Amino acid sequence: MVNRVIGRFAPSPTGPLHFGSLLAAISSYASAKHQGGLWRLRIDTIDPPREQAGAADSFISTLEAHGLHWDGDIVWQHQRIARYREVLAELIAKNLVYACDCSRSARAEAGVLDCLGPCRHGEHHPNASDAAWRLRSPATASTYHDRLHGELSELLSRSCGDAILWRRDDLPAYQLATVVDDHDMSISEVVRGTDLLDNTARQCHLADSLGWARPQFLHIPMLINSTGQKLSKQSHALALNNNHAAENVFLALQLLAQQPPAELRQAFIDEIITWAVAHWCESALPIGDIKQP
Ligand SMILES: [Zn+2]
């Protein structure tokens, strides 16, 4: 069991799943299952102010309707805050993070991405109850491998600065929760949309800092609408219609260049998913954005 592939789908309940989410869900599911692996579901409930009532429940019914059945229990991030605090404490003990209370306005005025300097250099020790915790970024470029995009490299100090791992409002940041959960859930591959690509170098740096193995990464293209806008909850993409689940999955497979046979169009949802798993072809995946038909 040690080397078993474990994939995951980890939506944030900021809105219902849309067609772009379906592409990521099917890709991560089919990839893991094609390799005889497991597919876990995690619901990223660490940002209560941004959550939409009922969204998490709708994820469950939408995934079930679309034949995407997860393995094991659902992991809810809001139940894991103590674990995130434990990892933060480890990072503090190793001096890999520092408390920073530089205000947004002062940073904007100075044109800096992260800390104005004194907190990072230990010349100012903010009250931790009113400060964010930032991860020191490396001096050299961070490189990682993406199974679709190849070798990628990012100089974190220039692209995003020292990432916040714990927010000033005392909530764990997305980056910390993601890396801790992927590690604790033994996730071996992260298949998700390219909208999350720019998190990857930060997440690899954090995993490296903790001495944890990185998962493999595969970022699938984004779906764009007729005006070239990416489909997202922010662009008010339409919620998936569970009454058209089989059609949705068939179309998703076509858009992912998996070439489902025409007769599958009339099949039941479970047959379509079984076909997708059996015939999953990673090398056929498109690299550029996918136009919504
Ligand atoms: Zn600072």
Side-chain angles (χ1 to χ4, degrees):
M1 288 295 181
V2 174
N3 294 319
R4 190 165 200 184
V5 170
I6 305 180
R8 49 81 155 176
F9 182 56
S12 303
T14 50
L17 297 180
H18 51 78
F19 207 87
S21 329
L22 183 64
L23 295 185
I26 291 177
S27 300
S28 58
Y29 179 93
S31 174
K33 295 289 175 175
H34 183 72
Q35 299 170 82
L38 301 174
W39 187 68
R40 305 285 315 273
L41 175 61
R42 180 171 84 227
I43 302 190
D44 286 2
T45 42
I46 44 154
D47 198 356
R50 291 184 60 228
E51 282 164 24
Q52 193 184 89
D57 291 337
S58 78
F59 292 170
I60 295 169
S61 54
T62 299
L63 292 172
E64 282 177 339
H66 287 77
L68 299 166
H69 306 292
W70 55 92
D71 295 296
D73 294 331
I74 299 173
V75 172
W76 297 86
Q77 287 193 326
H78 69 272
Q79 295 176 348
R80 292 180 40 79
I81 305 294
R83 171 62 177 146
Y84 306 140
R85 273 192 202 283
E86 186 181 284
V87 175
L88 176 68
E90 185 183 332
L91 290 162
I92 294 171
K94 290 180 174 164
N95 194 29
L96 294 168
V97 292
Y98 62 89
C100 171
D101 61 357
C102 297
S103 71
R104 190 187 295 257
S105 55
R107 291 189 291 111
E109 201 173 313
V112 297
L113 291 165
D114 44 24
C115 176
L116 295 170
C119 331
R120 179 195 288 127
H121 302 309
E123 296 149 6
H124 166 60
H125 298 279
N127 184 345
S129 64
D130 186 31
W133 286 94
R134 293 183 181 277
L135 176 68
R136 296 177 193 280
S137 46
T140 52
S142 300
T143 56
Y144 60 95
H145 181 80
D146 181 282
R147 297 215 304 251
L148 196 57
H149 301 272
E151 298 299 316
L152 297 170
S153 171
E154 186 176 336
L155 185 59
L156 289 169
S157 58
R158 192 167 298 163
S159 61
C160 62
D162 295 344
I164 289 181
L165 295 188
W166 203 275
R167 292 162 34 164
R168 204 166 174 163
D169 57 1
D170 201 29
L171 288 170
Y174 168 77
Q175 309 296 353
L176 178 69
T178 300
V179 170
V180 173
D181 288 342
D182 284 344
H183 173 262
D184 290 0
M185 293 165 74
S186 303
I187 299 302
S188 65
E189 62 171 37
V190 171
V191 178
R192 60 186 179 189
T194 48
D195 54 329
L196 293 168
L197 190 64
D198 66 0
N199 291 288
T200 310
R202 272 177 275 183
Q203 292 172 0
C204 287
H205 171 51
L206 177 54
D208 294 353
S209 301
L210 288 159
W212 294 346
R214 301 173 177 186
Q216 291 191 14
F217 291 96
L218 194 166
H219 289 86
I220 62 156
M222 295 297 290
L223 198 59
I224 54 171
N225 64 20
S226 52
T227 60
Q229 197 181 25
K230 288 187 169 143
L231 240 74
S232 68
K233 288 164 188 163
Q234 288 73 31
S235 68
H236 305 290
L238 287 179
L240 284 167
N241 184 339
N242 291 346
N243 296 325
H244 298 139
E247 285 164 64
N248 291 341
V249 172
F250 185 86
L251 177 59
L253 292 171
Q254 281 187 320
L255 294 176
L256 291 164
Q258 299 298 301
Q259 302 187 331
E263 61 269 24
L264 205 62
R265 204 183 275 276
Q266 312 302 331
F268 288 111
I269 186 73
D270 287 342
E271 288 173 67
I272 303 175
I273 293 290
T274 301
W275 183 92
V277 168
H279 296 86
W280 184 248
C281 181
E282 190 170 299
S283 59
L285 288 171
I287 292 183
D289 290 339
I290 301 174
K291 286 204 181 73
Q292 194 181 23

PDB file of all heavy atoms in Angstrom, residues 98-102 114-120 134, ligand 1:
ATOM      1  N   TYR A  98       8.292  34.133  10.455  1.00  0.00           N
ATOM      2  CA  TYR A  98       8.408  35.268  11.381  1.00  0.00           C
ATOM      3  C   TYR A  98       7.068  36.000  11.439  1.00  0.00           C
ATOM      4  O   TYR A  98       6.288  35.961  10.488  1.00  0.00           O
ATOM      5  CB  TYR A  98       9.540  36.206  10.956  1.00  0.00           C
ATOM      6  CG  TYR A  98       9.347  36.845   9.603  1.00  0.00           C
ATOM      7  CD1 TYR A  98       8.661  38.053   9.464  1.00  0.00           C
ATOM      8  CD2 TYR A  98       9.831  36.238   8.445  1.00  0.00           C
ATOM      9  CE1 TYR A  98       8.466  38.625   8.220  1.00  0.00           C
ATOM     10  CE2 TYR A  98       9.654  36.812   7.200  1.00  0.00           C
ATOM     11  CZ  TYR A  98       8.968  38.013   7.098  1.00  0.00           C
ATOM     12  OH  TYR A  98       8.776  38.579   5.865  1.00  0.00           O
ATOM     13  N   ALA A  99       6.822  36.629  12.589  1.00  0.00           N
ATOM     14  CA  ALA A  99       5.584  37.397  12.750  1.00  0.00           C
ATOM     15  C   ALA A  99       5.776  38.765  12.111  1.00  0.00           C
ATOM     16  O   ALA A  99       6.825  39.387  12.267  1.00  0.00           O
ATOM     17  CB  ALA A  99       5.261  37.535  14.233  1.00  0.00           C
ATOM     18  N   CYS A 100       4.762  39.192  11.378  1.00  0.00           N
ATOM     19  CA  CYS A 100       4.844  40.468  10.652  1.00  0.00           C
ATOM     20  C   CYS A 100       3.533  41.233  10.834  1.00  0.00           C
ATOM     21  O   CYS A 100       2.463  40.693  10.595  1.00  0.00           O
ATOM     22  CB  CYS A 100       5.100  40.187   9.167  1.00  0.00           C
ATOM     23  SG  CYS A 100       4.974  41.630   8.095  1.00  0.00           S
ATOM     24  N   ASP A 101       3.654  42.494  11.262  1.00  0.00           N
ATOM     25  CA  ASP A 101       2.431  43.295  11.404  1.00  0.00           C
ATOM     26  C   ASP A 101       2.479  44.521  10.496  1.00  0.00           C
ATOM     27  O   ASP A 101       1.815  45.525  10.756  1.00  0.00           O
ATOM     28  CB  ASP A 101       2.191  43.684  12.874  1.00  0.00           C
ATOM     29  CG  ASP A 101       3.323  44.532  13.454  1.00  0.00           C
ATOM     30  OD1 ASP A 101       4.322  44.763  12.739  1.00  0.00           O
ATOM     31  OD2 ASP A 101       3.188  44.968  14.606  1.00  0.00           O
ATOM     32  N   CYS A 102       3.278  44.449   9.446  1.00  0.00           N
ATOM     33  CA  CYS A 102       3.322  45.563   8.497  1.00  0.00           C
ATOM     34  C   CYS A 102       1.949  45.705   7.836  1.00  0.00           C
ATOM     35  O   CYS A 102       1.404  44.722   7.331  1.00  0.00           O
ATOM     36  CB  CYS A 102       4.392  45.310   7.424  1.00  0.00           C
ATOM     37  SG  CYS A 102       6.044  45.207   8.109  1.00  0.00           S
ATOM     38  N   ASP A 114       5.717  41.905   0.791  1.00  0.00           N
ATOM     39  CA  ASP A 114       5.530  41.193   2.061  1.00  0.00           C
ATOM     40  C   ASP A 114       5.839  42.092   3.260  1.00  0.00           C
ATOM     41  O   ASP A 114       5.017  42.896   3.659  1.00  0.00           O
ATOM     42  CB  ASP A 114       6.369  39.908   2.069  1.00  0.00           C
ATOM     43  CG  ASP A 114       7.781  40.120   1.527  1.00  0.00           C
ATOM     44  OD1 ASP A 114       8.279  41.260   1.566  1.00  0.00           O
ATOM     45  OD2 ASP A 114       8.382  39.136   1.074  1.00  0.00           O
ATOM     46  N   CYS A 115       7.005  41.961   3.822  1.00  0.00           N
ATOM     47  CA  CYS A 115       7.348  42.693   5.039  1.00  0.00           C
ATOM     48  C   CYS A 115       8.234  43.886   4.691  1.00  0.00           C
ATOM     49  O   CYS A 115       9.053  43.803   3.786  1.00  0.00           O
ATOM     50  CB  CYS A 115       8.084  41.752   5.995  1.00  0.00           C
ATOM     51  SG  CYS A 115       8.660  42.554   7.485  1.00  0.00           S
ATOM     52  N   LEU A 116       8.075  44.978   5.432  1.00  0.00           N
ATOM     53  CA  LEU A 116       8.902  46.163   5.197  1.00  0.00           C
ATOM     54  C   LEU A 116      10.351  45.927   5.616  1.00  0.00           C
ATOM     55  O   LEU A 116      11.223  46.706   5.247  1.00  0.00           O
ATOM     56  CB  LEU A 116       8.321  47.363   5.945  1.00  0.00           C
ATOM     57  CG  LEU A 116       6.945  47.820   5.444  1.00  0.00           C
ATOM     58  CD1 LEU A 116       6.331  48.839   6.384  1.00  0.00           C
ATOM     59  CD2 LEU A 116       7.027  48.382   4.030  1.00  0.00           C
ATOM     60  N   GLY A 117      10.589  44.891   6.405  1.00  0.00           N
ATOM     61  CA  GLY A 117      11.971  44.546   6.760  1.00  0.00           C
ATOM     62  C   GLY A 117      12.227  44.282   8.234  1.00  0.00           C
ATOM     63  O   GLY A 117      12.798  43.248   8.579  1.00  0.00           O
ATOM     64  N   PRO A 118      11.811  45.208   9.114  1.00  0.00           N
ATOM     65  CA  PRO A 118      12.174  45.050  10.534  1.00  0.00           C
ATOM     66  C   PRO A 118      11.695  43.728  11.151  1.00  0.00           C
ATOM     67  O   PRO A 118      12.433  43.127  11.944  1.00  0.00           O
ATOM     68  CB  PRO A 118      11.488  46.251  11.212  1.00  0.00           C
ATOM     69  CG  PRO A 118      11.315  47.248  10.114  1.00  0.00           C
ATOM     70  CD  PRO A 118      11.098  46.470   8.862  1.00  0.00           C
ATOM     71  N   CYS A 119      10.509  43.253  10.795  1.00  0.00           N
ATOM     72  CA  CYS A 119      10.021  41.984  11.376  1.00  0.00           C
ATOM     73  C   CYS A 119      10.873  40.821  10.859  1.00  0.00           C
ATOM     74  O   CYS A 119      11.277  39.942  11.613  1.00  0.00           O
ATOM     75  CB  CYS A 119       8.562  41.718  11.040  1.00  0.00           C
ATOM     76  SG  CYS A 119       7.515  43.142  10.773  1.00  0.00           S
ATOM     77  N   ARG A 120      11.156  40.862   9.561  1.00  0.00           N
ATOM     78  CA  ARG A 120      11.928  39.776   8.955  1.00  0.00           C
ATOM     79  C   ARG A 120      13.340  39.705   9.557  1.00  0.00           C
ATOM     80  O   ARG A 120      13.871  38.618   9.780  1.00  0.00           O
ATOM     81  CB  ARG A 120      12.026  39.978   7.448  1.00  0.00           C
ATOM     82  CG  ARG A 120      12.831  38.891   6.744  1.00  0.00           C
ATOM     83  CD  ARG A 120      13.227  39.287   5.326  1.00  0.00           C
ATOM     84  NE  ARG A 120      12.100  39.278   4.423  1.00  0.00           N
ATOM     85  CZ  ARG A 120      11.757  40.307   3.647  1.00  0.00           C
ATOM     86  NH1 ARG A 120      12.448  41.428   3.667  1.00  0.00           N
ATOM     87  NH2 ARG A 120      10.724  40.230   2.848  1.00  0.00           N
ATOM     88  N   ARG A 134       4.780  34.790   8.381  1.00  0.00           N
ATOM     89  CA  ARG A 134       5.252  34.649   6.998  1.00  0.00           C
ATOM     90  C   ARG A 134       6.388  33.634   6.905  1.00  0.00           C
ATOM     91  O   ARG A 134       7.255  33.594   7.775  1.00  0.00           O
ATOM     92  CB  ARG A 134       5.776  35.997   6.476  1.00  0.00           C
ATOM     93  CG  ARG A 134       4.713  37.065   6.320  1.00  0.00           C
ATOM     94  CD  ARG A 134       5.338  38.329   5.716  1.00  0.00           C
ATOM     95  NE  ARG A 134       4.364  39.396   5.578  1.00  0.00           N
ATOM     96  CZ  ARG A 134       3.518  39.505   4.539  1.00  0.00           C
ATOM     97  NH1 ARG A 134       3.572  38.621   3.556  1.00  0.00           N
ATOM     98  NH2 ARG A 134       2.660  40.496   4.481  1.00  0.00           N
TER      99      ARG A 134
HETATM  100 ZN    ZN B   1       6.730  43.127   8.685  1.00  0.00          ZN
END
